[in-house]
């Protein structure tokens, strides 16, 4: 009888120890040693390779933007009568965005690397158009020569880049950053735009364009989680959402967003209403006809042209110059009715989907719209305050460039449903 009791106690003890060792259901960072559906052991000759994974690697220069529900659309009176961004409720998934605009020094770094590992033809195609500063009736000639390359302008936003050039930069940046993160192939020579043909071709988000091959046999693998997703231009909806920065403005337990902003800051004014800098402008823009900066001895926005990319207070997401300084390219093809056509979860207007370009009489000079015009947003040093509102939008040909348009990069929040 006593022996039976001892056996029972021993069994209970084994069960207790087994339950203590149980770690709960498998997760992305703790998938377990065995498959939860087949029981086959991972990382064996017969089993599938499952790499260690903690979280998405940290991308240089990026700030996390928590997504959610918001109301996109113009908060200003539609003075241009375009009616192309009417208010509507959407949900934007969390993503990452550069805290500041891509600067001259970043573009010079890009030119440095592609000059050594890419075809000369591509290098020349990547050169910004510095003549965008030239004006027939204005003496901006020094900027043509010095703005891109002079050390004093290093951290001023790069301009004179087209949408196509900005898109190429994002592709290159993805590859260059992942070279340092990948466990395999980081010492491989030859660039993305190399003189020697590469097996992987550029494509859409989510494909193996970052040098992360799906099978992992010949380089870094998506499955290993040791590479970043693609750097890319933000969608128009992402950009507008990030510029609004409506976080921390609602009461606890209240899911209604009762605050609205005309600009990426509180209040209806373009001036700082608080503290030692009260009365100073919160962005770099054109104050009025012929007035770009204020008067000598008391310069207000302080910039006749562009300004240091970290000038002016950041918005509540920690993003600098989401209004003014330079306009910024976004991914979307322009259509005036995108607000009613695109979906309400992660809205995006891509090429060749709905509202065909042949409906717009570009050949008859009655329209400027086709599948090669892209949206830009944010206002610039040369724009009046109206264009600083996140809901305003304009468009330009994707192969064109000006002294008032730059860009910043974005990235998906991979491995998350938020």
């Amino acid at each position: 009888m006593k022996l039976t009791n001892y056996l029972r106690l021993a069994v209970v003890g084994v069960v207790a120890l087994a339950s203590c060792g149980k770690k709960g259901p498998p997760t992305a960072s703790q998938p377990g040693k065995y498959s939860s559906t087949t029981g086959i052991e991972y990382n064996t000759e017969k089993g599938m390779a499952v790499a260690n994974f903690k979280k998405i690697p940290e991308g240089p220069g990026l700030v996390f933007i928590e997504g959610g529900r918001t109301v996109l659309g113009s908060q200003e009176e539609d003075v241009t009568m375009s009616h192309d961004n009417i208010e509507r409720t959407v949900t934007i998934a969390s993503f990452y965005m550069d805290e500041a605009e891509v600067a001259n020094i970043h573009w010079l770094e890009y030119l440095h690397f592609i000059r050594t590992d890419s075809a000369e033809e591509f290098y020349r195609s990547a050169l910004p158009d510095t003549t965008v500063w030239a004006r027939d009736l204005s003496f901006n000639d020094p900027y043509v020569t010095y703005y891109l390359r002079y050390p004093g302008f290093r951290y001023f936003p790069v301009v004179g880049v087209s949408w196509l050039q900005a898109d190429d930069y994002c592709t290159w940046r993805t590859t260059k950053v992942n070279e340092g993160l990948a466990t395999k192939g980081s010492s491989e020579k030859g660039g993305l735009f190399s003189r020697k043909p590469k097996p992987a071709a550029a494509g859409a988000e989510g494909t193996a364009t970052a040098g992360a091959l799906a099978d992992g046999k010949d380089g870094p693998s998506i499955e290993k989680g040791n590479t970043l997703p693609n750097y890319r231009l933000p969608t128009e909806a992402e950009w507008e959402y990030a510029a609004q920065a409506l976080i921390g403005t609602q009461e606890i337990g209240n899911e209604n967003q009762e605050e609205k902003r005309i600009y990426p800051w509180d209040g209806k004014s373009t001036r700082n209403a608080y503290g030692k800098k009260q009365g100073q402008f919160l962005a770099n823009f054109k104050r009025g006809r012929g007035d770009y900066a204020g008067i000598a001895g008391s310069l207000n926005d302080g910039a006749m042209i562009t300004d240091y990319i970290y000038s002016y207070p950041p918005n509540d997401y920690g993003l600098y110059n989401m209004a003014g300084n330079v306009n910024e390219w976004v991914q979307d093809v322009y259509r005036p009715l995108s607000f009613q056509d695109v979906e309400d979860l992660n809205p995006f207007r891509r090429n060749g989907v709905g509202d065909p370009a042949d409906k717009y009489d570009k050949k008859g000079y009655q329209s400027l719209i086709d599948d090669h015009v892209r949206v830009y947003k944010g206002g610039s040093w040369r724009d009046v305050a109206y264009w600083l509102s996140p809901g305003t939008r304009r468009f330009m040909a994707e192969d064109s460039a000006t002294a008032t348009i730059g860009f910043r990069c974005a990235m998906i929040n991979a491995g998350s449903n938020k």
Side-chain angles (χ1 to χ4, degrees):
M1 189 70 176
K2 291 182 179 179
L3 183 59
T4 304
N5 289 337
Y6 283 133
L7 289 173
R8 287 176 179 172
L9 288 172
V11 171
V12 171
V14 170
V15 172
L17 287 172
S19 62
C20 289
K22 189 177 181 181
K23 297 181 180 180
T27 64
S29 58
Q30 293 182 335
K33 191 175 181 180
Y34 300 90
S35 167
S36 59
T37 54
T38 65
I40 298 174
E41 186 176 1
Y42 295 135
N43 299 316
T44 61
E45 185 177 348
K46 294 183 179 180
M48 181 178 72
V50 178
N52 292 329
F53 175 75
K54 292 184 178 180
K55 61 179 182 178
I56 181 175
E58 184 175 343
L62 298 176
V63 171
F64 178 69
I65 309 297
E66 184 181 14
R69 183 193 71 218
T70 190
V71 176
L72 297 183
S74 180
Q75 305 293 320
E76 279 272 43
E77 181 182 356
D78 193 359
V79 297
T80 62
M81 301 296 289
S82 58
H83 304 297
D84 63 351
N85 203 16
I86 295 175
E87 291 181 326
R88 72 278 186 198
T89 300
V90 303
T91 295
I92 308 295
S94 299
F95 61 101
Y96 295 88
M97 180 178 273
D98 278 340
E99 65 177 354
E101 297 141 342
V102 173
N104 286 323
I105 191 171
H106 304 136
W107 199 268
L108 291 173
E109 179 189 28
Y110 172 47
L111 294 176
H112 164 77
F113 281 106
I114 64 173
R115 189 164 204 176
T116 60
D117 63 19
S118 301
E120 181 68 17
E121 181 182 3
F122 181 79
Y123 169 77
R124 292 184 178 278
S125 73
L127 292 171
D129 181 7
T130 58
T131 64
V132 294
W133 291 105
R135 309 285 291 181
D136 289 341
L137 298 176
S138 180
F139 186 68
N140 293 336
D141 304 41
Y143 301 132
V144 175
T145 304
Y146 292 101
Y147 180 80
L148 174 64
R149 299 182 182 276
Y150 190 73
F153 289 122
R154 280 175 178 165
Y155 284 94
F156 282 47
V158 66
V159 297
V161 294
S162 68
W163 184 94
L164 294 173
Q165 289 175 310
D167 190 55
D168 281 340
Y169 173 87
C170 293
T171 306
W172 169 85
R173 183 177 175 185
T174 303
T175 302
K176 208 64 184 174
V177 171
N178 279 332
E179 281 182 5
L181 295 174
T183 56
K184 291 176 62 178
S186 60
S187 61
E188 182 181 343
K189 294 184 179 180
L192 182 66
F193 305 103
S194 176
R195 295 177 178 85
K196 296 180 180 180
K198 309 296 287 185
E205 177 76 37
T207 61
T209 60
L213 306 179
D215 57 14
K217 293 180 179 178
D218 299 309
S221 169
I222 293 175
E223 288 91 336
K224 292 177 182 177
N226 58 2
T227 58
L228 284 168
N230 294 350
Y231 283 90
R232 55 174 173 78
L233 294 174
T235 67
E236 181 179 4
E238 286 175 336
W239 194 99
E240 190 173 329
Y241 177 82
Q244 290 178 349
L246 291 172
I247 56 173
T249 56
Q250 66 270 37
E251 297 179 5
I252 297 176
N254 180 5
E255 283 202 5
N256 293 322
Q257 185 55 265
E258 297 173 354
E259 297 286 335
K260 282 193 174 183
R261 286 175 172 163
I262 298 175
Y263 307 111
W265 52 80
D266 290 333
K268 299 179 180 179
S269 173
T270 55
R271 296 177 183 269
N272 195 330
Y274 310 100
K276 295 181 180 179
K277 295 186 178 181
Q278 184 175 1
Q280 294 189 10
F281 282 110
L282 292 166
N284 176 20
F285 66 102
K286 186 175 181 179
R287 301 165 14 148
R289 182 169 296 178
D291 187 356
Y292 290 83
I295 61 174
S298 184
L299 294 179
N300 203 315
D301 76 20
M304 285 71 169
I305 54 166
T306 58
D307 203 354
Y308 177 52
I309 59 173
Y310 294 103
S311 291
Y312 312 100
N315 71 6
D316 287 349
Y317 274 127
L319 303 174
Y320 291 84
N321 289 298
M322 292 298 283
N325 212 24
V326 288
N327 291 286
E328 297 178 15
W329 289 114
V330 297
Q331 275 202 55
D332 296 51
V333 173
Y334 177 82
R335 288 294 188 275
L337 298 181
S338 287
F339 67 89
Q340 71 177 25
D341 293 341
V342 297
E343 297 193 16
D344 57 5
L345 173 62
N346 298 323
F348 171 56
R349 167 71 76 180
R350 66 181 76 243
N351 273 341
V353 179
D355 201 4
D358 57 17
K359 288 187 176 181
Y360 299 88
D361 186 13
K362 189 168 185 178
K363 292 183 178 179
Y365 302 101
Q366 300 301 308
S367 175
L368 297 173
I369 297 174
D370 61 18
D371 286 336
H372 301 285
V373 292
R374 303 283 177 166
V375 178
Y376 65 90
K377 297 176 74 73
S380 76
W381 60 272
R382 199 174 181 180
D383 291 316
V384 295
Y386 171 78
W387 297 108
L388 304 185
S389 181
T392 56
R393 60 199 303 252
R394 288 175 284 182
F395 64 92
M396 193 169 69
E398 62 186 20
D399 60 354
S400 298
T402 77
T404 62
I405 301 181
F407 72 102
R408 72 181 76 208
C409 301
M411 180 186 293
I412 64 167
N413 181 31
S416 172
N417 65 344
K418 295 182 179 179

